[in-house]
Structure formats: structure tokens, C-alpha cells
Amino acid sequence: MAKDSEKKTCGQVMSEWKEFFWNPRTHELLGRTASSWGLILLFYLIFYIFLAGMFVLTMYVMLLTLDDYKPTYQDRLATPGMMIRPKGNALEISYNSEDTESWDLYVQALDNFLAPYNESQQIMNNKDCTPDTYFIQEDAGEIRNNPKRSCQFNRTMLGNCSGINDRYYGYPDGQPCVLIKLNRVIGMLPGKDDQSPYVTCGAKKEDSSLIHELTLFPKGGMFNLMYFPYYGKKAQVNYSQPLVAVKFLNVTYNADINVECKINSLAVASPTSERDKFAGRVSFKLRINKN
């Protein structure tokens, strides 16, 4: 145990700290002379300049491998994803057919989503293509065939779900329309043997008795081949994504109905995993209340 006489006073400790911070006898700052600090700072300056140079060089080399119009590497799923409009909260469409406020937001969402599909917009921006065949637009070697044209998808193709003849999309009548879209995948050719992929919809097994009748637009619920392949947002600036509309004509009121829509194609792998609920299918809940 140290003797009391060996213990340092507070003044001595402070004096030692002051001398460590700046020693007037040796001209040392924090225990180092000016030349020592200069060498350390020079070392770290060179070190970080070297790291920054390596980072810039790496980024430059990587950017040289990128294509502005097409991904250099594309690790896509064998089955593209699907989504609905309107999607509501947590993919749930729930409303009271006799309460305008409960379904008005769905109608507005569909109006906004379908605005670019108006006939005037489609005629102005897109090409009238030949149905049932891929719209291939290849580059001529190093010469880019850009911007690439897109095929017209007029909202009138959605029949009673176009919002033209029925501006409320059937919601107040208890016959709502839901739009299905297939996620864009660059270069995907989803058809096989000249067969276009098509959508099927229905209630899940436990709710199979709650949907009595539905219909799909365009006829057969097809994504026509002429809308494929997709060349990317920059190369195909006016691309109009094809849609399928499902209209529920007769469902059980005041009940939660779990609906599932799937893509069917010989060239697209069928969804097999329950972990990815949007690969080749989309599930949502439909509830139509009526007083």
C-alpha cells in the first residue's frame, strides 16, 4: 500500500497534464515534436489519398462495364411478380357499396392509374402493333435502335373496367373492378409456341363458395405478346404496361374473401414457393359490405 507521502496532489497531476499537452522545454505537443507530427500527418495524407484514388479507379472501371440502356448482369426470378390496382391498405379492398366515401378513393386511384392509357395519349405516343407476335426491335451491331417504340394499350380494351362507360368501375353496384399488372422484366419473353400468357383469378380454397361469378378483360385475361419484350425505361420511354382487369360480378356480401390471381404460361415457371407471394401471382382480400 502506497504511503501518503508518495501520493500526488491534485496540483501535481494538473501540472503533469499541462506538461504532457505542451512541454516548453522540449517543445513537444502531446508528447511529439513538430517534425514527428509532420511525418505522421504526411503519412496519413498519402495513405488516404491512395485509398481515395483506389476507390475512384474502381468506380471508373465498374462504370465502364455498365450499359445505360441494358443491365450488364441480370439475375432475375424465373417467375415475374404481379400487383393489383387499387391496392388499398395491405392489399385489402374493403368498402360499403352504399357509402360513397368508402369506395371513392378506389375510383380516384383507378382514374389516375389509367390516365396514361387514354386513347389520345396512346395514339400520340405509341404504335399500332400486330397482335399475337413479339415486337422485336434489335440493335444494328453498335448502332443503337433507340428510342424504341411501344405498342398501344388503350383503356377501352378493359371493357366494363375501363372507366369510360362506367365511371365508377362497378364499385357502387357491388361489382368492383381490380386491375392486374405483371412486373416489368427487361428482355422477358413470357409466351411460348405463339401463346400469350393469361391470368386466372378465383377465391382461395377456403373461400371458394363466396365468389359466384367474375369476368376478365381483355378477353381471356391475356397479356398479348406484342407488349414484349420490354427494353427498359430509358430505351423505351413511352412503354405502356399491359393490364388485365377482373370484374367481380357476383360475390357474397359482408364476408372476407381471399382472392388469388395467377399468371399462366408455358414459358414462365409456375409459382412454387409460399415465401414469395408476388412471384407469378398476387393475393388480396376483398370485402363488400351492404346494409
Side-chain angles (χ1 to χ4, degrees):
M1 187 173 181
K3 298 180 180 180
D4 293 342
S5 59
E6 295 177 355
K7 291 183 178 179
K8 296 179 181 179
T9 63
C10 181
Q12 290 175 321
V13 172
M14 291 299 297
S15 177
E16 289 179 356
W17 273 103
K18 288 180 181 179
E19 187 174 328
F20 172 73
F21 184 78
W22 171 248
N23 191 328
R25 292 181 291 101
T26 59
H27 297 90
E28 292 180 348
L29 177 67
L30 298 177
R32 290 185 180 275
T33 62
S35 59
S36 178
W37 278 114
L39 290 173
I40 288 178
L41 293 175
L42 179 61
F43 167 79
Y44 280 107
L45 177 63
I46 296 173
F47 177 68
Y48 285 115
I49 288 176
F50 173 77
L51 288 182
M54 286 291 294
F55 175 77
V56 171
L57 178 62
T58 303
M59 292 297 295
Y60 175 73
V61 172
M62 184 191 70
L63 291 174
L64 288 177
T65 67
L66 299 182
D67 191 318
D68 289 339
Y69 297 96
K70 184 180 180 180
T72 304
Y73 303 102
Q74 190 170 353
D75 187 16
R76 68 171 185 245
L77 296 171
T79 308
M82 297 176 70
M83 187 46 67
I84 64 168
R85 291 291 185 277
K87 58 183 178 180
N89 295 322
L91 293 183
E92 181 175 346
I93 299 174
S94 177
Y95 71 97
N96 189 316
S97 61
E98 299 173 1
D99 181 6
T100 303
E101 291 186 358
S102 69
W103 50 259
D104 186 58
L105 287 177
Y106 297 133
V107 171
Q108 291 182 31
L110 289 174
D111 282 341
N112 294 334
F113 183 74
L114 288 176
Y117 292 91
N118 288 333
E119 184 176 7
S120 58
Q121 289 286 103
Q122 290 296 310
I123 291 176
M124 179 173 61
N125 295 326
N126 295 332
K127 175 182 172 63
D128 188 10
C129 300
T130 303
D132 304 322
T133 182
Y134 289 125
F135 187 29
I136 304 293
Q137 303 174 76
E138 295 181 345
D139 297 327
E142 296 296 324
I143 302 175
R144 298 280 189 179
N145 181 20
N146 292 328
K148 301 185 188 301
R149 300 295 304 278
S150 300
C151 296
Q152 294 180 18
F153 188 98
N154 196 320
R155 64 190 296 175
T156 56
M157 298 169 66
L158 298 176
N160 293 334
C161 289
S162 66
I164 297 175
N165 297 325
D166 178 7
R167 61 186 298 261
Y168 298 119
Y169 305 93
Y171 279 79
D173 302 322
Q175 298 181 339
C177 292
V178 177
L179 303 182
I180 311 291
K181 69 183 187 74
L182 194 64
N183 288 355
R184 302 178 185 185
V185 179
I186 294 177
M188 182 180 69
L189 301 174
K192 190 174 183 180
D193 300 330
D194 298 327
Q195 296 294 315
S196 296
Y198 63 94
V199 172
T200 55
C201 289
K204 291 189 176 182
K205 187 175 181 180
E206 62 272 17
D207 298 332
S208 58
S209 62
L210 301 179
I211 294 181
H212 311 295
E213 185 181 2
L214 58 79
T215 187
L216 297 167
F217 304 99
K219 186 177 180 180
M222 288 195 309
F223 292 115
N224 200 283
L225 294 180
M226 64 181 175
Y227 301 106
F228 304 95
Y230 171 60
Y231 288 97
K233 187 175 183 179
K234 193 168 183 179
Q236 210 168 3
V237 292
N238 293 322
Y239 181 73
S240 294
Q241 196 166 356
L243 305 171
V244 166
V246 52
K247 186 173 182 66
F248 297 91
L249 297 173
N250 187 359
V251 301
T252 301
Y253 292 128
N254 305 313
D256 290 335
I257 307 173
N258 293 293
V259 184
E260 184 175 71
C261 296
K262 297 181 180 180
I263 183 71
N264 298 271
S265 171
L266 296 175
V268 175
S270 300
T272 56
S273 173
E274 289 296 327
R275 298 178 62 183
D276 192 345
K277 297 181 179 180
F278 302 101
R281 62 186 168 188
V282 60
S283 299
F284 59 96
K285 183 180 292 185
L286 176 66
R287 182 183 181 92
I288 306 174
N289 294 322
K290 192 169 184 178
N291 297 333

